[in-house]
Amino acid sequence: MTMTHIEQQLENLASPGDRQKHLRGLAVLKQIGGENFGGPVSKLAHFSEDLARFTIQYPYGDVLSRDGLDLRTRQILTTATLLAHGSAQSQLSFHLNGLLNAGGTADDVIDLLFISAGLIGFPTAINAVPIVRDILAGRVETNNATEAQSPPAIPQISSDRLAILDRIAPEFVNWREQVLDEEVFSAVHLEPRLAHLASAAMLAARGKAGASFDAHIASALATGATHSDIVEMVIQLSVYSGFPAALNAAGRANDISAASERPQASTQKGVDITKDDEKRFMSGAATLAATSGGSGADVVDSFRDIAPGLGRLIVAHCYGDIFSRSVLDPKGRELGAISALAAQGTVAAERPLGVHIDAALNLGATREEIIETLFNIIPYAGYPLIEKALLIAHDRISLFNKKHAAVSAS
């Protein structure tokens, strides 16, 4: 957006208040966007001048310019919300760059990948890795890292809820402690207050403002967040996830803020699960090779320049802890994964959907079984999402058949 265009927009604004809001929004947008701060809004103006003006005035002039939170914190919350969205890659790229422009660090960016992997699922983090790689390439890390401190702990759940979960699935209780606490959140450098605020924003943006959201709000308050911090996080949620998500989060957050009691830690444990990382990793690597034809080393290598620990965790936890279990047959597990990923319907889920379709085919699933799996979730996900999933399945099945035909011919 050129200065001429900006001046023209300002001249067309009806009141001095609108002009001040516009200028205030542009100032924040420039801080976040850097040299090309006006590029996205300028493109938007070709579609609608009004929408471009609203984009400057509400998100930047009304919300991000508020005094309640510093700009680095606001960008952490924005990128957390966009990661949870799963289909806003260009906006995620813009705001991850904006996080670095606002004083954030590469550690901040990687921390958000780890948190998203634990709270939203590994496809979200995997999809963001190429975006992060492009952003960090060529950037020189400045000395703006926060002071080292203890990593945030996962919020404890109520003893009653823990006891029920322990009866239902003791492995889940152990995985929650081991993977979320010892392998995800222990790798996070963010101040605990910010880590819990970002976690709450992710959950609310994904429509999961339930008990886990409550626990992260309580943990944020317990680690130094104020009621005002929570309010600002929810107001900002209205910009990047919409008012329904913000209003749902506001109701729950208000109850937590008003409560004087905090979640108490429980000493109950589930069944013992080995914490031999090498054993888990090797088991995962074997399962990965048997299902997808890939190797654990390949997965780790794909993350090596960004977050090698995250790649190792995918192999150890997804394939070593879960997919290697014997209760479900491997083909059934892959069809279940196809169902879950198709129902998500996000851009972040598209590549993993293709991977698990390939794995199901490798394990003997037929075209009819894969199509029927997708048909089965039409009532729960809707026709548009399954239409997209069917097209992905068609491409993967066609490629699989061509490869096998070539092998047979040779």
Side-chain angles (χ1 to χ4, degrees):
M1 181 175 288
T2 65
M3 285 303 296
T4 302
H5 196 157
I6 292 171
E7 290 165 357
Q8 185 178 359
Q9 278 199 328
L10 287 170
E11 289 175 2
N12 293 335
L13 295 176
S15 70
D18 280 347
R19 286 192 285 274
Q20 283 299 113
K21 186 190 298 185
H22 203 80
L23 286 170
R24 189 167 63 241
L26 284 170
V28 177
L29 179 58
K30 188 172 184 178
Q31 282 182 272
I32 292 171
E35 289 184 8
N36 190 36
F37 76 99
V41 179
S42 183
K43 290 180 182 178
L44 186 59
H46 289 293
F47 172 72
S48 168
E49 285 279 352
D50 285 340
L51 187 54
R53 175 168 53 84
F54 294 153
T55 299
I56 292 171
Q57 291 186 7
Y58 177 58
Y60 296 98
D62 277 338
V63 177
L64 296 181
S65 62
R66 289 167 62 88
D67 293 333
L69 297 172
D70 64 89
L71 198 54
R72 169 181 170 251
T73 298
R74 289 198 178 278
Q75 285 304 107
I76 285 171
L77 296 178
T78 297
T79 51
T81 303
L82 292 171
L83 276 166
H85 189 286
S87 296
Q89 277 66 24
S90 62
Q91 292 87 353
L92 176 62
S93 177
F94 181 85
H95 284 284
L96 282 170
N97 259 312
L99 171 56
L100 298 173
N101 291 338
T105 67
D107 279 345
D108 292 342
V109 174
I110 303 305
D111 287 348
L112 290 169
L113 293 186
F114 270 92
I115 292 172
S116 70
L119 298 185
I120 305 298
F122 286 96
T124 298
I126 293 169
N127 178 261
V129 165
I131 298 173
V132 171
R133 181 177 289 118
D134 288 345
I135 288 168
L136 296 183
R139 274 206 182 243
V140 178
E141 184 71 12
T142 56
N143 188 24
N144 56 357
T146 56
E147 184 179 347
Q149 53 191 299
S150 299
I154 59 166
Q156 296 294 326
I157 55 181
S158 70
S159 57
D160 290 344
R161 188 182 181 91
L162 187 65
I164 294 171
L165 286 170
D166 194 41
R167 289 197 298 272
I168 298 170
E171 298 94 334
F172 176 84
V173 175
N174 273 269
W175 285 332
R176 182 183 183 276
E177 178 182 345
Q178 177 184 350
V179 176
L180 276 185
D181 196 9
E182 299 178 16
E183 296 177 322
V184 171
F185 277 86
S186 67
V188 170
H189 302 81
L190 280 174
E191 307 92 296
R193 161 185 162 271
L194 285 183
H196 290 300
L197 285 173
S199 298
M202 282 186 190
L203 292 168
R206 201 62 174 261
K208 298 179 179 179
S212 293
F213 171 85
D214 297 350
H216 279 288
I217 292 293
S219 293
L221 291 166
T223 52
T226 64
H227 176 73
S228 175
D229 292 339
I230 307 298
V231 168
E232 292 298 326
M233 182 271 288
V234 172
I235 290 173
Q236 192 162 321
L237 192 66
S238 72
V239 175
Y240 296 100
S241 194
F243 278 97
L247 295 175
N248 289 338
R252 298 194 71 106
N254 186 59
D255 292 342
I256 299 300
S257 296
S260 57
E261 58 190 34
R262 298 285 179 257
Q264 296 181 353
S266 170
T267 58
Q268 287 185 276
K269 298 287 183 182
V271 298
D272 181 45
I273 293 179
T274 178
K275 295 185 180 179
D276 179 356
D277 184 64
E278 187 61 26
K279 184 176 180 180
R280 292 166 65 221
F281 180 82
M282 294 306 296
S283 173
T287 301
L288 177 62
T291 57
S292 300
S295 73
D298 291 339
V299 173
V300 175
D301 283 343
S302 68
F303 286 83
R304 189 167 300 282
D305 60 330
I306 299 298
L310 188 55
R312 189 173 181 86
L313 181 58
I314 290 171
V315 176
H317 182 50
C318 297
Y319 289 90
D321 288 338
I322 298 175
F323 297 160
S324 64
R325 291 167 61 83
S326 61
V327 178
L328 294 177
D329 66 276
K331 184 178 79 173
R333 285 195 183 277
E334 293 302 329
L335 293 175
I338 289 168
S339 179
L341 289 163
Q344 285 187 28
T346 63
V347 172
E350 290 179 5
R351 184 180 176 190
L353 175 59
V355 168
H356 285 282
I357 289 171
D358 290 347
L361 292 167
N362 289 334
L363 291 167
T366 65
R367 173 187 180 277
E368 290 73 22
E369 287 174 322
I370 292 171
I371 299 302
E372 197 65 32
T373 295
L374 296 175
F375 284 172
N376 201 50
I377 56 175
I378 290 173
Y380 311 106
Y383 280 90
L385 296 189
I386 305 311
E387 176 183 315
K388 180 169 68 172
L390 284 168
L391 292 172
I392 292 172
H394 172 74
D395 288 344
R396 303 311 302 179
I397 293 168
S398 298
L399 184 60
F400 178 85
N401 290 338
K402 286 179 182 177
K403 287 181 178 178
H404 275 256
V407 169
S408 299
S410 62

